[in-house]
Amino acid sequence: MDISASQFRLLKMMDEIEDHAIILLDKEGNVESWNKGAYKIKGYLAQEIIGKNFRLFYPEADRQLGLPTRLLTEAFTTGKACHEGWRLRKDGSRFWGLITITAVHDENGTVVGFAKITRDLTERIQAENTIKKHVLELESQNKQLEHFVYIASHDLQEPLLNVNNFVELFQLEYAELFDETANMYLDVINQSTERMRNLIKGLLDYSRLDKEKCLSTVNCHQLIETLLKDLATTIALAGATIHYTDLPTITAYPIELRQLFQNLIGNAIKFRKVNTAPEIDISAEKCTSGWKFAVRDNGIGIDPLFKDQIFLIFRRLHERDRYEGNGIGLAYCKKIVEMHGGELMVESIPNKGSSFYFIIPDGHAQSL
């Protein structure tokens, strides 16, 4: 195949391309060729645009700033110029174009013109702008929700405190007038307001999770040792035994990780079988995505019907007179694990025990 035939085939191939505008410009930027992609993207027929300057593709503001000239100068000087921005179609509508202008040289190395390739990225930029808009809206809604929770929590605390204070004064000043039933009513009021205060505090703490936290290196073995010392009284009263060995050092949020283990251990102790001492085993193993932790117990277990509901905030499966609490603990644990990029899971057999698993991904983990 001779050279002229090769050139003809190349030009024909370029002309048939529809997803890129491929045009040739002379040294002044006048259009010399026009392919199907150029027509599809810009809207001009070849006979309407050949001979005209490529500057008309640019908005007036860019022309005033000399952008087309700067791009030609850069391509002339360095061999190539790239730019991304708004361009104009024949009908005056805008599209977001990614353009590359490449200098074309003759056999002596002299610049004789330019090849300009344009790609229409309007859909991409619109999608990016839509995502940015949704992110900003979501951030605004989250801030409003956080503000509401904060204000509501503090505003609700004050009347509850007043109720508690006046009930105590009432009991103190009029104690001789109350019979057993009246004292029971006042005790119920006290218990209810205290439970409400705990619920509000739990909700406020839950809303504050994942706010300006700092990752640091955490020795999980030392963390559990310290935690068990702090829980010594609770563990002794329950007669619990806790096993843990070879726990790793990871990169995590230390305070939140401690709260996670404290809640899981606390639940294992709380939801124990009658006349059975709690046995709790804490372990970790390296997996493909990081470290997989497990907290296993021999407690009352969880009915499979409620396995997915236990992680919902304020969701309780038992009466308060049997197991105290406000239904926030496992929701708190789930959010802490998700803060680390992991997932909290549970396997359980009623009256046999439960095993809670969570993974700290590699982005937050390091081996010993």
Side-chain angles (χ1 to χ4, degrees), residues 206 260 263-265 267-268 270-271 302 306-307 309-315 317 326-337 344-346 354 356:
Y206 183 82
L260 170 62
N263 282 341
L264 293 177
I265 293 171
N267 277 354
K270 181 198 303 185
F271 297 106
I302 301 166
F306 303 112
K307 191 171 72 170
Q309 299 181 33
I310 61 173
F311 298 115
L312 301 177
I313 192 167
F314 298 139
R315 183 68 173 91
L317 304 183
N326 51 32
I328 295 179
L330 286 177
Y332 209 73
C333 291
K334 182 174 183 290
K335 190 169 184 179
I336 291 172
V337 172
L344 180 60
M345 302 158 284
V346 63
S354 301
F356 287 88

Side-chain angles (χ1 to χ4, degrees), residues 65-105:
L65 292 171
L67 177 61
T69 301
R70 291 203 311 271
L71 291 174
L72 281 188
T73 301
E74 182 181 345
F76 183 89
T77 304
T78 66
K80 184 167 68 174
C82 298
H83 188 262
E84 196 170 325
W86 291 112
R87 301 291 184 266
L88 294 177
R89 297 187 180 94
K90 176 184 174 182
D91 61 7
S93 63
R94 299 194 310 168
F95 70 95
W96 187 266
L98 171 63
I99 67 104
T100 301
I101 300 176
T102 304
V104 178
H105 302 81

Side-chain angles (χ1 to χ4, degrees), residues 289-308:
S289 57
W291 283 96
K292 183 177 182 179
F293 290 83
V295 179
R296 301 179 177 88
D297 64 57
N298 63 338
I300 62 174
I302 301 166
D303 190 313
L305 293 174
F306 303 112
K307 191 171 72 170
D308 295 328

Side-chain angles (χ1 to χ4, degrees), residues 86 96 122-136:
W86 291 112
W96 187 266
T122 307
E123 291 185 0
R124 190 204 72 182
I125 199 67
Q126 287 176 341
E128 289 177 354
N129 289 337
T130 299
I131 292 172
K132 289 177 182 177
K133 181 181 177 182
H134 287 329
V135 168
L136 290 174

Side-chain angles (χ1 to χ4, degrees), residues 1 21 29 123 151 161 223 232 262 271 287 289 323 328 335 337:
M1 184 180 294
E123 291 185 0
I151 295 299
L161 185 60
L223 185 150
Q262 182 170 329
F271 297 106
C287 61
S289 57
Y323 297 104
I328 295 179
K335 190 169 184 179
V337 172

Side-chain angles (χ1 to χ4, degrees), residues 146-162 197 200-201 203-205 207-208:
E146 290 167 14
H147 183 68
F148 168 77
V149 170
Y150 184 82
I151 295 299
S153 298
H154 282 75
D155 288 350
L156 287 172
Q157 291 280 15
E158 186 176 349
L160 285 173
L161 185 60
N162 283 337
R197 288 178 64 187
I200 292 171
K201 181 181 181 301
L203 181 61
L204 188 58
D205 291 341
S207 70
R208 286 171 173 168

